[in-house]
Amino acid sequence: MAGEAHKSDLILHQAKQSLVNNRDHGGRRAVSIGRRSAALKREHALKKAKGFALTVAAILGAIVAAGIVLDGIGITGVILAMAAVVAAMLFFAFVPKLKTPTREVLRGSDVKSLVGRTELWLEQQRPALPAPAVQLVDTIGLQLDALGTQLDGLDERAPAAVEVRKLVGDHLPELVSTYTSIPRHLRGEAQGGASPDQHLVDSLGKISAEIDSVTRQLASGAIDNLAIKTRYLDYKYGAGPEGEGR
């Protein structure tokens, strides 16, 4: 009897540890680069917690009903019930996972959801980026939060909204995706005067400056005068700010 109880406690402890490890992505705590991506994660975690709570409530309800009908469920019933709770805990620890938005999703997002989704996408790319680029991505995360505040009241059909989607949902992901498509051992090698690492950092710096400029213009109410430089700047990897080859 004591051995069974100890075994059940051990199973519950391991299940709880699995929940923690899953939350921390295998022991490495996921870094949120912005408030909006963090909010999306909290929302997802809350949905999973509610699902788990409802499942446990259903299991407990079934136990009570069985106990009334059978005049008790015995030790076997208790163990089966605990196993069902542990199984539910493990299920909700790993399923469903928060999906990382694809580039297609980012490209088609409305301005209100674009910031949070872009932050989530950038967080998944951080491990593949060099340290200076990671610092810039973290800065861009903060800038996107500020930009999102200005976008909340912006008409989806406004020219500014179209340009922002192009900058944040298209050019930024394209830049990072182009970099990560390069084999790791080639990213630090100079090509045409600069390495892919240097190109990435330089281009991220330009995008960071542009996001800051757009945010300031929107905050000042200069929507009609908003002129994002994406038509003048080629953020594709391998081309300079004026479109010259690197």
Side-chain angles (χ1 to χ4, degrees), residues 80-164:
L80 289 176
M82 291 183 65
V85 171
V86 171
M89 187 181 296
L90 290 173
F91 174 81
F92 284 102
F94 296 99
V95 181
K97 292 184 178 180
L98 179 60
K99 294 182 179 180
T100 301
T102 62
R103 286 187 57 193
E104 290 70 24
V105 168
L106 295 180
R107 197 175 291 119
S109 296
D110 57 81
V111 291
K112 291 184 179 179
S113 61
L114 178 61
V115 165
R117 289 174 176 175
T118 300
E119 288 175 355
L120 279 178
W121 187 86
L122 286 173
E123 289 169 12
Q124 294 300 312
Q125 315 309 313
R126 290 174 87 258
L129 305 181
V134 169
Q135 294 175 1
L136 279 168
V137 164
D138 291 344
T139 298
I140 288 173
L142 297 176
Q143 292 176 318
L144 287 175
D145 279 335
L147 177 62
T149 301
Q150 304 304 321
L151 294 176
D152 286 341
L154 192 63
D155 190 327
E156 285 288 329
R157 296 165 294 182
V162 176
E163 292 298 328
V164 167

Side-chain angles (χ1 to χ4, degrees), residues 193-240:
S195 68
D197 286 348
Q198 292 169 321
H199 286 322
L200 175 68
V201 171
D202 181 57
S203 296
L204 282 176
K206 289 181 173 66
I207 290 181
S208 174
E210 194 58 36
I211 292 174
D212 181 67
S213 174
V214 170
T215 303
R216 291 175 184 275
Q217 290 182 66
L218 290 174
S220 67
I223 296 177
D224 293 337
N225 299 323
L226 183 63
I228 297 177
K229 300 170 187 173
T230 51
R231 53 187 168 183
Y232 304 112
L233 301 179
D234 183 356
Y235 287 125
K236 281 188 176 181
Y237 180 76

Side-chain angles (χ1 to χ4, degrees), residues 7-49:
K7 188 179 298 184
S8 299
D9 289 342
L10 180 61
I11 293 174
L12 281 172
H13 174 74
Q14 291 174 339
K16 290 178 181 178
Q17 189 61 45
S18 296
L19 277 171
V20 173
N21 289 340
N22 182 69
R23 181 194 64 198
D24 294 347
H25 293 271
R28 271 186 323 179
R29 185 172 296 277
V31 178
S32 294
I33 65 172
R35 293 191 303 271
R36 302 214 171 192
S37 62
L40 289 174
K41 293 175 185 177
R42 287 194 299 270
E43 181 181 347
H44 179 71
L46 182 59
K47 288 180 180 178
K48 292 177 68 171

